[in-house]
């Protein structure tokens, strides 16, 4: 297309999606001689770890100058004004048994379940996933003593929403936990639906419509599925039961309720277990956000 079609205009809300290298394809098409190759881009902007992967980013100002020369940036504030939101972090505590299994998985990538089976992780990525599952839904992992921390906090937030007659939007990374939070909402007499990768496009449209029409009190979503394309400005309360690793995913998620100008402040609750991977994910999101902001 570029050889035959002439000019093109890339438009995106996330040109820096978690890492500076996500801007490389755009810059390569605009003018390949800025860097010449992807490896040269990494030489300019990345500090690599022992495995050759970017660990930290540098020379943000060079990338900023290139994007400023060839691009036009319109911020959310330019379009709609300052975000009318407040972030509220709620610390939670794991149960004793839950914490023991979590620490064993985090430290040794193996733990013994109540029935005597061994739960193992074949690598660091799997171990992280297992840790998240033990935190968010220990029952699904064969840990019979469930968590009281995030479950109780969610019940309190839903109770407040019932009193205020406000719909609630919940984001959860772990699929089994999405249904767990939905069951808690149902037990409290609320109309609830789960929107994740198992739901077809047609059903998502119906859920979207029912949520906007007030037929659903609570919508539990996976961050990826509900990250774009939905306008839920009627929502005043969002609860993040767990966080995705991408800062742009977090922003896209809560901006489902920031479509246009808000008169009522949007309350964004983030539930986090103390001394857990929740904190590391939050730190990673903050680091990515700082890199992006420095370029922008």
């Amino acid at each position: 297309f570029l050889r035959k079609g002439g000019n093109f205009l890339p438009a995106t809300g996330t040109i820096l999606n978690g890492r500076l290298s996500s801007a490389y394809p755009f810059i390569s098409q605009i003018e390949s001689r800025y860097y010449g190759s992807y490896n040269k881009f990494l030489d300019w902007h990345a500090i690599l770890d022992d495995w050759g992967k970017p660990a930290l980013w540098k020379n943000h100002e060079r990338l900023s100058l290139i994007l400023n020369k060839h691009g036009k940036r319109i911020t959310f504030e330019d379009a709609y004004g300052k975000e009318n939101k407040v972030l509220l972090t709620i610390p939670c505590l794991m149960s004793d048994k839950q914490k023991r299994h979590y620490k064993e998985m985090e430290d040794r990538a193996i733990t013994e379940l109540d029935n005597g089976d061994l739960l193992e992780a074949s690598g660091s990525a799997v171990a992280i996933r297992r840790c998240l599952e033990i935190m968010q839904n220990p029952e699904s992992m064969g840990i019979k003593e469930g968590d009281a921390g995030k479950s109780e906090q969610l019940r309190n937030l839903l109770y407040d929403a019932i009193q205020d007659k406000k719909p609630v939007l919940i984001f959860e990374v772990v699929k089994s936990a999405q249904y767990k939070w939905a069951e808690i909402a149902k037990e409290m007499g609320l109309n609830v639906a789960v929107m994740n990768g198992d739901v077809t496009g047609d059903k998502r449209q119906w859920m979207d419509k029912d949520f906007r029409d007030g037929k659903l009190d609570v919508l539990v979503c996976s961050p990826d599925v509900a990250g774009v394309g939905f306008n839920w400005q009627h929502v005043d309360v969002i609860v993040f039961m767990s966080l995705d690793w991408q800062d742009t995913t977090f922003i896209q998620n809560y901006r489902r309720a920031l479509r246009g100008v808000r008169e009522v402040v949007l309350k964004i609750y983030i539930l986090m277990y103390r001394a857990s991977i929740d904190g590391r994910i939050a730190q990673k999101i903050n680091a990515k956000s700082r890199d992006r902001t420095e370029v922008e």
Side-chain angles (χ1 to χ4, degrees), residues 83-96:
E83 290 183 339
N84 189 11
K85 71 179 191 302
V86 58
L87 297 176
L88 302 164
T89 301
I90 300 179
C92 305
L93 295 174
M94 298 186 208
S95 68
D96 291 340

Side-chain angles (χ1 to χ4, degrees), residues 6 85 133 156 163 167 178 183 186 213 216 234 240 271:
K85 71 179 191 302
E133 290 169 340
N156 293 336
Q163 301 304 308
Q178 293 162 7
E183 282 301 316
K186 287 179 183 177
D213 290 345
L216 290 174
H234 68 295
F240 284 89
L271 275 58

Side-chain angles (χ1 to χ4, degrees), residues 84-118:
N84 189 11
K85 71 179 191 302
V86 58
L87 297 176
L88 302 164
T89 301
I90 300 179
C92 305
L93 295 174
M94 298 186 208
S95 68
D96 291 340
K97 182 183 286 189
Q98 183 185 14
K99 187 173 183 179
R100 176 175 63 81
H101 286 295
Y102 172 86
K103 290 299 294 179
E104 287 178 351
M105 180 57 64
E106 186 179 48
D107 296 341
R108 300 188 291 126
I110 185 171
T111 185
E112 184 177 353
L113 301 177
D114 293 346
N115 60 4
D117 292 342
L118 293 177

Side-chain angles (χ1 to χ4, degrees), residues 234-277:
H234 68 295
V235 171
D236 295 336
V237 177
I238 296 179
V239 182
F240 284 89
M241 301 301 295
S242 59
L243 294 170
D244 181 84
W245 290 91
Q246 294 284 16
D247 65 314
T248 48
T249 301
F250 176 68
I251 294 170
Q252 293 282 13
N253 286 167
Y254 75 68
R255 280 187 178 166
R256 295 309 95 212
L258 287 173
R259 317 314 294 165
V261 179
R262 285 190 64 92
E263 295 182 0
V264 178
V265 64
L266 174 64
K267 295 180 181 179
I268 304 169
Y269 295 95
I270 305 170
L271 275 58
M272 298 179 63
Y273 280 124
R274 295 180 184 273
S276 74
I277 198 172

Side-chain angles (χ1 to χ4, degrees), residues 34-277:
Y34 276 127
Y35 293 104
S37 69
Y38 179 65
N39 286 332
K40 289 295 183 183
F41 179 93
L42 294 182
D43 288 342
W44 267 102
H45 293 293
I47 299 174
L48 305 180
D49 61 19
D50 293 338
W51 295 272
K53 295 182 179 181
L56 297 169
W57 298 103
K58 61 184 180 179
N59 294 327
H60 298 71
E61 66 282 354
R62 173 185 169 88
L63 190 56
S64 182
L65 287 170
I66 293 172
L67 293 176
N68 191 53
K69 180 178 180 179
H70 295 282
K72 171 64 176 176
R73 177 172 179 251
I74 302 173
T75 67
F76 186 91
E77 191 167 335
D78 292 334
Y80 301 113
K82 188 174 178 61
E83 290 183 339
N84 189 11
K85 71 179 191 302
V86 58
L87 297 176
L88 302 164
T89 301
I90 300 179
C92 305
L93 295 174
M94 298 186 208
S95 68
D96 291 340
K97 182 183 286 189
Q98 183 185 14
K99 187 173 183 179
R100 176 175 63 81
H101 286 295
Y102 172 86
K103 290 299 294 179
E104 287 178 351
M105 180 57 64
E106 186 179 48
D107 296 341
R108 300 188 291 126
I110 185 171
T111 185
E112 184 177 353
L113 301 177
D114 293 346
N115 60 4
D117 292 342
L118 293 177
L119 180 65
E120 300 181 67
S122 57
S124 59
V126 178
I128 289 171
R129 189 71 186 178
R130 296 298 192 205
C131 285
L132 281 169
E133 290 169 340
I134 291 171
M135 287 195 310
Q136 301 303 107
N137 192 11
E139 298 88 352
S140 69
M141 307 304 295
I143 301 171
K144 295 178 182 179
E145 180 189 344
D147 68 303
K150 290 190 178 182
S151 296
E152 288 306 312
Q153 292 291 352
L154 178 60
R155 287 188 177 91
N156 293 336
L157 292 173
L158 291 177
Y159 179 79
D160 291 341
I162 291 172
Q163 301 304 308
D164 297 335
K165 297 182 179 179
K166 298 283 188 180
V168 178
L169 181 60
I170 298 174
F171 286 101
E172 170 59 64
V173 173
V174 179
K175 182 187 286 188
S176 64
Q178 293 162 7
Y179 297 102
K180 174 183 177 179
W181 311 136
E183 282 301 316
I184 288 176
K186 287 179 183 177
E187 291 170 3
M188 298 181 69
L190 298 170
N191 295 320
V192 59
V194 176
M195 184 185 291
N196 58 23
D198 293 338
V199 180
T200 63
D202 289 342
K203 288 184 178 179
R204 291 177 197 175
Q205 291 181 16
W206 280 109
M207 288 180 184
D208 171 37
K209 185 176 185 304
D210 287 348
F211 192 44
R212 286 186 284 109
D213 290 345
K215 296 178 181 178
L216 290 174
D217 304 306
V218 178
L219 190 60
V220 183
C221 302
S222 70
D224 290 336
V225 169
V228 294
F230 297 103
N231 300 313
W232 294 323
Q233 56 267 28
H234 68 295
V235 171
D236 295 336
V237 177
I238 296 179
V239 182
F240 284 89
M241 301 301 295
S242 59
L243 294 170
D244 181 84
W245 290 91
Q246 294 284 16
D247 65 314
T248 48
T249 301
F250 176 68
I251 294 170
Q252 293 282 13
N253 286 167
Y254 75 68
R255 280 187 178 166
R256 295 309 95 212
L258 287 173
R259 317 314 294 165
V261 179
R262 285 190 64 92
E263 295 182 0
V264 178
V265 64
L266 174 64
K267 295 180 181 179
I268 304 169
Y269 295 95
I270 305 170
L271 275 58
M272 298 179 63
Y273 280 124
R274 295 180 184 273
S276 74
I277 198 172

